[in-house]
Amino acid sequence: MEEEILYNQSFQIRGRDFVNGGSVSVQIKRILKELGVKPEVVYKVSICCYEAEMNVIMYADLGTLDFTITFDDVIITLEDEGPGIENIELAMQEGYSTATPEIREMGFGAGLGLPNILKNSDDFKINSEVSKGTKLFFKIHLN
Amino acid sequence: MTLQNLIKKFELEVLTDLNDKEVSGGYSGDLLSDVIANTNKNYVWITMQTHLNIVAVASLKELSAIIIVMNRKIEDEVLEKAKSENITILRTDKTAFQMSGMIYGLGVT
């Protein structure tokens, strides 16, 4: 069955733009709160979006985050142009990270990003092609 | 417990505008993914991180305040960003361990 879209917006995220890191997630959170979405859902979406957004900033060149609300779910897809992920199985392990020492010093690159998204979402898919980019999809039920 | 209580009791330095808020809990950590995953609204966050991204974390999680430990230096642009986002940043000469223990001792968990 085709799901009816209640809200849709796309955001651009630029690689290495640490100054604006988190700003897309903050905007999405504001929209959800304004629409009266339950706090538990807002909490989960915020965590997932932040991790996804920071991944683009830390590793990729450019990302497009597409944010959709249907009757049942918040759906996020994030497609980036970047180095891609060589070993997705490793990247999904808590504590595994390819972050540089500079990034780690800032408290990023703890290897918790993708596991945090997996834990806080109801549906999660990731595809990646080395030297091309990564496509991330996750869904969080509204009820 | 309010922020004002904590500030008075532990002589915390207020580096931004003070928005006196309730404190419902606390968390200590320097890994941002850990903080994002384990804090809730109105928590105080005890950290030695001082870069710009701490403001986005606090804003996203609606934290009551960020408490910078060991009197670490913090850039003006971070404080300006915090002011514009309505985030309170406090500072102490104590370590994260000491500060956490002091606040925990007041019954904030």
Side-chain angles (χ1 to χ4, degrees):
Chain A
M1 197 177 78
E2 190 85 356
E3 283 190 287
E4 194 176 339
I5 291 170
L6 302 178
Y7 188 95
N8 176 263
Q9 194 173 342
S10 280
F11 301 88
Q12 296 282 314
I13 303 164
R14 281 182 294 132
R16 284 161 288 280
D17 184 13
F18 281 95
V19 171
N20 290 307
S23 63
V24 170
S25 307
V26 171
Q27 285 179 66
I28 288 176
K29 184 186 176 177
R30 281 192 192 130
I31 294 165
L32 291 174
K33 283 186 86 174
E34 274 166 25
L35 292 171
V37 171
K38 282 198 298 191
E40 308 93 272
V41 176
V42 178
Y43 180 88
K44 288 181 184 176
V45 175
S46 300
I47 294 173
C48 294
C49 282
Y50 183 79
E51 296 292 4
E53 181 180 358
M54 289 315 303
N55 276 347
V56 173
I57 292 173
M58 284 187 278
Y59 302 109
D61 301 321
L62 186 70
T64 305
L65 187 151
D66 189 69
F67 163 59
T68 302
I69 306 176
T70 65
F71 271 115
D72 299 318
D73 300 289
V74 174
I75 302 165
I76 309 272
T77 56
L78 207 176
E79 215 167 340
D80 74 41
E81 294 162 24
I85 301 170
E86 251 174 67
N87 188 330
I88 290 178
E89 209 178 307
L90 270 180
M92 292 306 301
Q93 279 179 21
E94 271 193 23
Y96 178 84
S97 174
T98 57
T100 61
E102 292 77 21
I103 287 178
R104 287 173 201 257
E105 221 165 82
M106 292 172 76
F108 296 112
L112 295 170
L114 291 173
N116 263 356
I117 302 176
L118 180 66
K119 261 189 225 165
N120 286 286
S121 60
D122 296 304
D123 191 3
F124 173 88
K125 286 187 192 88
I126 181 166
N127 288 300
S128 191
E129 204 175 327
V130 174
S131 308
K132 286 220 163 141
T134 300
K135 191 173 176 183
L136 196 65
F137 165 94
F138 56 88
K139 199 186 239 192
I140 289 141
H141 300 322
L142 287 171
N143 285 297
Chain B
M1 181 76 50
T2 65
L3 270 186
Q4 192 73 54
N5 295 142
L6 289 187
I7 291 163
K8 276 201 186 134
K9 195 144 184 96
F10 301 131
E11 295 174 347
L12 304 175
E13 186 185 354
V14 182
L15 301 177
T16 54
D17 307 321
L18 170 67
N19 307 294
D20 198 20
K21 290 182 193 145
E22 273 300 312
V23 176
S24 67
Y27 200 75
S28 310
D30 301 322
L31 295 176
L32 303 196
S33 285
D34 171 44
V35 175
I36 281 283
N38 294 301
T39 52
N40 267 308
K41 193 177 173 177
N42 290 343
Y43 272 35
V44 285
W45 171 25
I46 298 161
T47 186
M48 62 188 298
Q49 295 290 1
T50 56
H51 57 79
L52 207 49
N53 293 88
I54 61 174
V55 178
V57 170
S59 171
L60 192 65
K61 299 309 300 264
E62 297 177 58
L63 305 180
S64 278
I66 303 170
I67 305 179
I68 307 293
V69 296
M70 297 174 80
N71 265 341
R72 278 173 64 94
K73 193 175 171 304
I74 182 159
E75 300 290 336
D76 285 341
E77 62 165 337
V78 178
L79 298 178
E80 287 311 313
K81 174 97 172 164
K83 283 178 197 165
S84 73
E85 302 251 338
N86 236 351
I87 300 296
T88 301
I89 299 186
L90 308 171
R91 185 162 60 183
T92 176
D93 57 352
K94 302 290 186 291
T95 66
F97 179 78
Q98 290 166 336
M99 191 78 257
S100 304
M102 288 157 85
I103 296 175
Y104 189 87
L106 293 179
V108 176
T109 55

